[in-house]
Amino acid sequence: MNWKHAAFAPALMLAQTSAHAQENDQTLRTKVNEIFADLMVEGAPGAGVIIAQNGKPLHELYYGEADLVHGVPIGPDTVFHVASVSKQFTAYAINRLALEGKLDLDAPFQTYLSDTPDYGAAISVRELIHHTSGLRSHYVVAALAGMPGDLPMTPARAERWPELLRDLNYEPGTEVSYTNLGYGYLAENVGSVTGQILADRLEERLITPHRMSSTLVLNEYNRVVPGRATSFRKTEDGWEHSHYLNNLAGGTNVNTTPRDLAKWSAHLVGLKASDPDMWAAMATPGTLNDGSPALLNGELPYAGGLAHAKVAGIPVLKHSGSNAQYRAYVMHEPESGLFAAILSNTAEGNARARIDSVMRAALVSKGLADPAPVTAPEDAETPKAAFDKDAVAPAMGAFTIARAALPKGLAIPPIQNFAERATVLFRLTENGIETRVDSGAWGPVEAASPTTAKAGEATIDFSGTAPIMLWKDETLALARGGCSAERSAQIAGRYKHPAWPVIIEVGYSDKGLHMTYGEDETRAVTCPSETQLVTEIKNKTDFLGSKQFEVVGSGKARALLVSLGPRVRRVRFDRID
C-alpha cells in the first residue's frame, strides 16, 4: 500500500472542502453587500447586518453613520434600539418562570398584579404572549385621545386614561391583534413574581451568562446608552432627529448589537437539544379558544415573541421592530442554527424587504436552498399595459363586499374581520389606479390591459360602472357605496367619547360628507355604505392614519364606532347634539 498517497488523499479532500467553503463565504459576502449597495451613501444613517451560525459570525456589514452630527460611523460595537424584537426576551423570561413553577401561563395575568383595570374578562398570561388578549393598543388609544406624539410614553401617562383601555377589541382567545400593552403586563408579571424588574431579571438570567456585554434593557427612555446610534428621519430639507420616547419595557426597550443578537440566537435554537421544554414554550404557536392557530396578520403563527414563516421553503422564526426611526429585523433558522439580523437607525431603505434576501443568501451559501431564479429582463420594445383612464373612470369610487363572500386564498390585506363588510376603494392617479382595503395603505394596481388589472391570482375588470373581481371560477361583484342626502343629514352631528377630550364633527354639503376629528383639519369622508365611513385623520403623531367608522342607528345616527386597523376597534363616540 502506498502510505504516502493514502495519507495525502484525506488532506486533499480537506483542502478541497476548505476551498469550497471559502468560495461560498466569498459568494455570501458579495451577495449581502449587493443587497445593501444602494443604501451605502455618505452623510446618511445606516445599519448593522449580520449572518451567523450557532453564534459564530459568517459575515457582517456595517454602513452609514450612527450620529450625523458628529460623523460617527456605524460599526460592530454600535448599539441599536430593537423595539419589538424585545418581545422574544420578555417571552423567554415569562416562559422560564412558568417552567420553574413560579407562574401559571393559563392563570389570569391579573392574578399576579394587584392593580389593573377591570377588563370585564379574565385574560390569561398565555393570551398576552400570543396577542389573543383583545387588549387595545395603548399607543393608538393615547393618540386617538389627543395625546401629542412628541410626549414621552410612560406608565403614569398611560394610566391617565384607564377608561380608554378598559374595553376590549374582542373576547379573549377568539382573535389575534398585536398589542404592546400585553407585553407591558408580562414585564410587570415578571416583576411581581420575582421581585426584580424585567431588566434586572434578564441581566441576571440571560444577558450576563451569555456574555451579551453590549445588551441593555431600559426602564428610562432618557438614560444615556454608550455607543447607541441616534434615530434619524429623512425630510425634504434633509435629516432630522427622530426621538425615541418610551418607558414601557416588555414590548420594547432592549438595546443591543448584531453580534449580541447572534449569541442570543445560538442560545435560543440551542434549547432544542439542551432544554426541549423551554424550546417548545418559545417556539410553539398559540391557539385560539376553538383550537385554530393564532395567526398574526391573518397568516403567521405566533409563538413566544416569534412568528413562524418560511424563506425559500425553509421554516424560520422571525420578528421585526420599529420605534421612532429605529428598525430591527431578526430571523432564526432552527435546524442549521443560521441567524440573520438587520438593525438600522432609519426607516429609509425598507430593510424589512431585505431580511428575506439576506437569510436566503445564507441558506444558499450552506447548500440548504437553491439560488433565487434569475428572471429574464423585460423586452424594452414591449411596452407595459396601461389603463385607458376614460374607460375605467366610471368604475372608480368606494365599494363594499361581504367578507363571507371573499374566497379563501384571495388575500386582500389588511382584512379586518371585525366588520361584516370589507371596504374597497379605487382611485385614478397620474400613474394609473390605486386601491385600498378598509383603512389600509393605498397601493398601485398593475394593469393587465386597458380595462383590467392583475391582483395576485385574481383579475379585476374595470370596464363597467363597478369593478368585478374574477378569481379562479368565481365572480365577485363589488357593490358601489354612497350616502344619500337624507342619510348624510342623519349622520351629520357632533360625537364624543365619555372619557376623551376629543370631539368628532360630521357635516355635509353638496360635495358630500366631511369630518373634523379633534384639532385636525376638516377632511372629506368616503361613504362606502349607509353604515360605514372612511377618512384620513392626522394628529401630530405617527400612530394615526386612515380610520373606519361604523354608524350606529338606522335613522338619526346615535353613535360612531371608530376603528384604526385591527389594534383598536369600535371605540364608541356618542352623539352629543
Side-chain angles (χ1 to χ4, degrees):
M1 181 175 184
N2 190 327
W3 293 103
K4 180 178 179 181
H5 288 172
F8 179 70
L12 177 60
M13 183 180 299
L14 186 63
Q16 290 174 337
T17 301
S18 177
H20 183 65
Q22 291 178 6
E23 181 180 351
N24 283 345
D25 289 346
Q26 181 57 48
T27 301
L28 175 62
R29 287 191 291 270
T30 300
K31 180 60 179 176
V32 172
N33 290 352
E34 288 176 353
I35 292 171
F36 295 91
D38 62 310
L39 302 180
M40 299 181 195
V41 296
E42 292 185 4
V49 183
I50 193 169
I51 295 176
Q53 187 169 28
N54 299 318
K56 179 182 178 181
L58 301 178
H59 179 52
E60 297 174 79
L61 171 66
Y62 300 95
Y63 67 89
E65 295 184 2
D67 185 345
L68 297 180
V69 177
H70 300 99
V72 178
I74 291 174
D77 297 324
T78 301
V79 175
F80 294 86
H81 169 69
V82 297
S84 288
V85 169
S86 307
K87 288 180 173 63
Q88 54 203 273
F89 294 92
T90 304
Y92 179 89
I94 281 287
N95 283 318
R96 182 62 74 190
L97 288 174
L99 289 175
E100 292 173 355
K102 298 176 181 178
L103 178 145
D104 182 356
L105 295 180
D106 293 312
F109 83 92
Q110 297 98 322
T111 303
Y112 306 100
L113 298 177
S114 60
D115 184 21
T116 58
D118 179 8
Y119 289 108
I123 299 171
S124 72
V125 176
R126 194 185 303 276
E127 287 166 342
L128 294 181
I129 294 173
H130 297 136
H131 296 298
T132 59
S133 65
L135 289 169
R136 289 174 173 168
S137 167
H138 65 286
Y139 291 114
V140 179
V141 163
L144 282 171
M147 177 191 291
D150 56 355
L151 290 181
M153 178 64 76
T154 66
R157 189 173 299 282
E159 291 169 3
R160 284 178 55 189
W161 298 288
E163 296 87 353
L164 310 185
L165 300 173
R166 198 163 281 157
D167 295 327
L168 298 176
N169 284 327
Y170 48 81
E171 179 185 347
T174 61
E175 297 185 38
V176 182
S177 59
Y178 191 88
T179 170
N180 284 288
L181 179 61
Y183 270 75
Y185 279 135
L186 290 175
E188 292 187 12
N189 280 162
V190 170
S192 64
V193 170
T194 67
Q196 296 175 292
I197 61 173
L198 177 65
D200 291 345
R201 187 71 177 179
L202 288 172
E203 179 75 29
E204 177 184 298
R205 298 301 183 93
L206 177 66
I207 295 170
T208 297
H210 295 281
R211 299 181 180 180
M212 298 164 61
S213 58
S214 297
T215 300
L216 180 68
V217 184
L218 294 185
N219 286 298
E220 295 293 334
Y221 75 93
N222 54 0
R223 180 175 173 181
V224 173
V225 180
R228 186 172 71 182
T230 301
S231 168
F232 293 98
R233 175 186 289 108
K234 191 173 186 179
T235 70
E236 294 180 357
D237 299 323
W239 295 98
E240 66 179 20
H241 288 94
S242 178
H243 297 290
Y244 154 66
L245 305 169
N246 196 327
N247 276 357
L248 298 177
T252 182
N253 280 21
V254 169
N255 293 261
T256 188
T257 64
R259 288 181 179 178
D260 270 11
L261 284 178
K263 295 175 184 178
W264 154 245
S265 180
H267 173 61
L268 174 65
V269 300
L271 293 171
K272 286 188 66 177
S274 66
D275 193 341
D277 290 341
M278 185 62 178
W279 170 251
M282 289 296 295
T284 301
T287 56
L288 300 179
N289 294 344
D290 63 4
S292 60
L295 301 179
L296 186 65
N297 299 328
E299 58 179 346
L300 301 177
Y302 198 86
L306 297 161
H308 286 254
K310 287 186 177 181
V311 174
I314 307 243
V316 297
L317 295 171
K318 70 176 186 177
H319 213 286
S320 63
S322 63
N323 196 322
Q325 291 290 290
Y326 290 110
R327 296 294 183 267
Y329 306 93
V330 302
M331 199 171 275
H332 314 267
E333 199 282 284
E335 293 303 318
S336 68
L338 284 171
F339 171 72
I342 305 172
L343 307 184
S344 178
N345 61 336
T346 180
E348 295 296 318
N350 193 11
R352 178 189 295 272
R354 301 173 197 248
I355 186 67
D356 280 23
S357 298
V358 172
M359 177 55 84
R360 185 177 191 122
L363 292 168
V364 170
S365 75
K366 295 299 178 181
L368 302 174
D370 295 327
V374 178
T375 57
E378 296 184 6
D379 187 347
E381 297 182 359
T382 304
K384 289 185 177 181
F387 291 112
D388 181 334
K389 293 187 177 182
D390 291 335
V392 301
M396 298 297 101
F399 305 87
T400 66
I401 186 170
R403 292 187 193 284
L406 291 171
K408 292 181 179 180
L410 178 57
I412 313 178
I415 294 299
Q416 300 169 2
N417 55 11
F418 55 90
E420 293 182 358
R421 298 189 67 83
T423 301
V424 186
L425 295 91
F426 296 97
R427 69 182 182 188
L428 273 174
T429 69
E430 292 182 359
N431 298 318
I433 295 176
E434 291 185 338
T435 186
R436 184 175 77 193
V437 179
D438 291 331
S439 54
W442 287 99
V445 175
E446 180 183 354
S449 76
T451 58
T452 63
K454 295 294 291 183
E457 297 182 20
T459 298
I460 306 175
D461 184 350
F462 295 104
S463 62
T465 57
I468 297 176
M469 301 182 69
L470 308 172
W471 191 79
K472 295 185 176 180
D473 297 327
E474 300 190 50
T475 300
L476 309 172
L478 300 180
R480 182 176 291 278
C483 291
S484 64
E486 179 183 4
R487 184 56 178 155
S488 296
Q490 292 172 339
I491 296 173
R494 302 172 76 241
Y495 302 82
K496 188 180 185 302
H497 187 282
W500 296 17
V502 173
I503 292 176
I504 299 175
E505 295 192 34
V506 181
Y508 75 99
S509 66
D510 56 357
K511 295 182 179 180
L513 285 166
H514 54 267
M515 179 184 295
T516 305
Y517 185 96
E519 297 180 359
D520 187 29
E521 63 185 82
T522 300
R523 299 179 184 277
V525 173
T526 301
C527 186
S529 73
E530 292 194 345
T531 59
Q532 285 181 289
L533 309 176
V534 177
T535 189
E536 299 282 340
I537 301 293
K538 301 186 184 299
N539 188 29
K540 296 183 179 179
T541 173
D542 294 335
F543 299 117
L544 298 182
S546 179
K547 300 290 179 305
Q548 184 169 311
F549 300 81
E550 295 175 60
V551 182
V552 179
S554 57
K556 185 175 183 179
R558 301 190 304 274
L560 296 178
L561 304 182
V562 184
S563 298
L564 176 61
R567 298 192 186 188
V568 174
R569 310 180 188 180
R570 311 189 78 188
V571 179
R572 186 178 178 108
F573 283 66
D574 288 304
R575 180 184 285 275
I576 59 174
D577 60 1

